[in-house]
């Protein structure tokens, strides 16, 4: 990795129209090499989020030569990927697995790097994954199937570990032109859903109702303000059907009669979630349609407007880039955010002010104002279920961290064997 590669990678993130992270570079004026091992970024105006974001994929470095040689084929089975981690790409067997091998020249010599080869397998069937873990065919996984914890905990084939996570199962408002353009309809539907039951039954007790759209694991510098506010609006997540009906009583009949569509991927827990939402909508008299689509194509509904069409609600299991509430808000509720499918713009001004505010306390107050507004409007994302982070380690291996930082951290470098 060279300073030139860093400059190229950051500029690519800033200028490429297909980049997920270009919006984080909106306040960047220039990126230049200023030494053999030095890159200088100059900003158009203060941005107290940008430096933190470089710990995420927004700051990942790839070799310029590799990308330019492979261009649009980079990241495909025939070419693979190239980065700067402790393992290097070996082989991609389409539809089956990706193989990586240890890179012995990795800079951080304090990491154990005991495992020589790792195969990442592609499975979408929950029962097949659970069976593979219990039989030892699969040595480990992050995010084991939600239907499997009881079996995994009772098994001697390995051990299930849990850690805190900025994870939320939630519903994204994707269309303001239909019934969900009405705030009372949004609030009533969210109120009628049995989030407590969903967390207990669908997510095997690992999910608890979230008070705010942003979950506690990312409160960060705003922890005191957001915790106090979250406590003030907290419920146990049980369905409040009568309250929801009263709220809908004032909604015009032509609005209430519009069909509300929810799309979920064809997996056990997501279908159960969808049925729970439909049951709530039916009980309060909303015209509701549940669509179940193949899991392999579901991401198109999240990222492709043409596929999504006029869909009103989308399921997502969401997490931010970094444990910072401004990152969560920027992704979900600010114009241009990756998960702001409806184009919501209600906090744009407050957000811009917040990222330019140096004082943590003052910035926290701005975050609190944004969270209040989003909760009052229940837009553009419902307060849903917060999850823990789980990892299963089979009896042959050890070392994988249970913390959610595995998403951006070289966790595999800590893997080791148990001699079994």
């Amino acid at each position: 990795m060279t300073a030139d590669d860093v400059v190229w990678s950051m500029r690519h993130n800033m200028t490429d129209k297909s980049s997920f992270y270009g919006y984080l570079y909106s306040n960047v004026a220039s990126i230049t090499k200023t030494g053999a091992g030095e890159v200088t970024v100059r900003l158009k105006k203060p941005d107290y989020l940008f430096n933190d974001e470089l710990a995420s994929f927004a700051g990942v470095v790839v070799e310029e030569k590799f990308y330019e040689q492979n261009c649009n084929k980079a990241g495909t089975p025939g070419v693979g990927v190239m980065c700067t981690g402790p393992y290097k790409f070996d082989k991609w067997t389409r539809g089956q697995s990706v193989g990586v091998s240890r890179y012995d020249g990795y800079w951080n010599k304090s990491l154990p790097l005991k495992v020589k080869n790792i195969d990442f397998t592609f499975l979408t069937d929950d029962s097949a994954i659970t069976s593979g873990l219990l039989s030892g065919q699969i040595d480990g996984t992050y995010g084991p199937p939600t239907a499997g914890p009881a079996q995994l905990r009772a098994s001697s084939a390995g051990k299930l570990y849990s850690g805190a996570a900025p994870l939320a199962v939630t519903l994204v408002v994707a269309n303001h032109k239909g019934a969900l353009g009405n705030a009372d309809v949004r609030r009533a539907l969210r109120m009628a859903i049995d989030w407590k039951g969903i967390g207990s039954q669908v997510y095997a007790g690992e999910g608890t109702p979230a008070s705010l759209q942003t979950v506690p694991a990312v409160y960060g510098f705003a922890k005191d303000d957001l915790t106090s506010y979250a406590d003030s609006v907290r419920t146990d997540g049980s369905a409040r059907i009568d309250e929801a009906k009263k709220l809908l009583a004032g909604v015009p009949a032509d609005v209430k009669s519009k069909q509300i569509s929810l799309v979920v991927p064809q997996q056990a827990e997501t279908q159960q979630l969808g049925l729970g939402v439909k049951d709530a909508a039916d009980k309060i008299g909303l015209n509701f349609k549940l669509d179940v689509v193949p899991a392999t194509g579901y991401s198109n509904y999240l990222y492709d407007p043409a596929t999504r069409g006029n869909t009103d609600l989308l399921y997502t299991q969401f997490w931010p880039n970094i444990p910072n509430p401004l990152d969560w808000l920027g992704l979900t509720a600010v114009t241009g955010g990756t998960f702001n499918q409806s184009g919501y713009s209600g906090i744009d001004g407050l957000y811009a002010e917040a990222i330019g505010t140096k004082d943590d306390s003052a910035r926290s107050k701005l975050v609190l104002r944004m969270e209040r507004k989003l909760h009052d409007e229940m837009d553009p994302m419902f307060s849903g279920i917060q999850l823990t982070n789980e990892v299963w380690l089979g009896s042959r291996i050890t070392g994988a961290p249970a913390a959610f930082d595995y998403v951006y951290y070289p966790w595999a470098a800590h893997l080791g064997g148990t001699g079994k």
Side-chain angles (χ1 to χ4, degrees), residues 278-311:
K278 186 180 188 314
D279 179 64
D282 291 344
K283 285 179 178 176
I284 60 176
L286 292 175
N287 180 3
F288 194 88
K289 180 186 178 186
L290 174 64
D291 290 321
V292 179
V293 300
T296 52
Y298 180 72
S299 62
N300 292 332
Y301 284 84
L302 292 172
Y303 303 119
D304 179 19
T307 301
R308 185 164 64 247
N310 293 322
T311 300

Side-chain angles (χ1 to χ4, degrees), residues 133-151:
L133 295 173
L134 294 174
S135 68
Q137 289 179 298
I138 305 173
D139 286 299
T141 187
Y142 280 99
T146 54
Q151 290 175 272

Side-chain angles (χ1 to χ4, degrees), residues 126 143-146 167-175 180 193 195 198 202-203 260-277 288-303 308 311-319 338-339 341 380-382 384-387:
D126 287 353
T146 54
L167 282 170
V169 171
T170 187
L171 302 176
V172 177
V173 179
N175 177 24
L180 292 182
I193 297 170
W195 297 103
I198 290 172
V202 179
Y203 293 95
I260 298 172
S261 58
L262 165 66
V263 178
V264 299
Q266 194 175 16
Q267 294 172 307
E269 71 268 19
T270 51
Q271 291 186 73
Q272 290 178 58
L273 171 67
L275 290 172
V277 177
F288 194 88
K289 180 186 178 186
L290 174 64
D291 290 321
V292 179
V293 300
T296 52
Y298 180 72
S299 62
N300 292 332
Y301 284 84
L302 292 172
Y303 303 119
R308 185 164 64 247
T311 300
D312 297 289
L313 278 176
L314 297 167
Y315 151 86
T316 186
Q317 185 174 137
F318 179 78
W319 64 87
T338 308
F339 272 83
Q341 281 85 351
M381 178 182 280
F382 284 14
I385 296 289
Q386 61 189 60
L387 299 176

Side-chain angles (χ1 to χ4, degrees), residues 82-123:
M82 195 292 310
C83 221
T84 55
Y87 284 85
K88 57 185 178 181
F89 171 81
D90 277 340
K91 183 180 180 181
W92 184 335
T93 304
R94 188 185 298 271
Q96 294 183 27
S97 65
V98 170
V100 299
S101 61
R102 184 175 62 204
Y103 173 54
D104 292 326
Y106 188 58
W107 67 272
N108 191 347
K109 302 303 181 183
S110 67
L111 295 177
L113 282 173
K114 292 183 178 180
V115 175
K116 189 173 182 179
N117 302 101
I118 304 173
D119 286 328
F120 296 95
T121 59
F122 305 148
L123 291 174

Side-chain angles (χ1 to χ4, degrees), residues 299-369:
S299 62
N300 292 332
Y301 284 84
L302 292 172
Y303 303 119
D304 179 19
T307 301
R308 185 164 64 247
N310 293 322
T311 300
D312 297 289
L313 278 176
L314 297 167
Y315 151 86
T316 186
Q317 185 174 137
F318 179 78
W319 64 87
N321 296 312
I322 56 174
N324 183 316
L326 286 172
D327 176 77
W328 185 293
L329 295 171
L331 283 166
T332 63
V334 173
T335 299
T338 308
F339 272 83
N340 183 4
Q341 281 85 351
S342 67
Y344 177 84
S345 60
I347 63 169
D348 283 9
L350 288 169
Y351 178 83
E353 184 180 354
I355 63 173
T357 299
K358 182 177 182 179
D359 181 72
D360 282 353
S361 179
R363 198 182 326 121
S364 175
K365 295 294 187 286
L366 291 167
V367 169
L368 177 60
R369 287 175 61 187

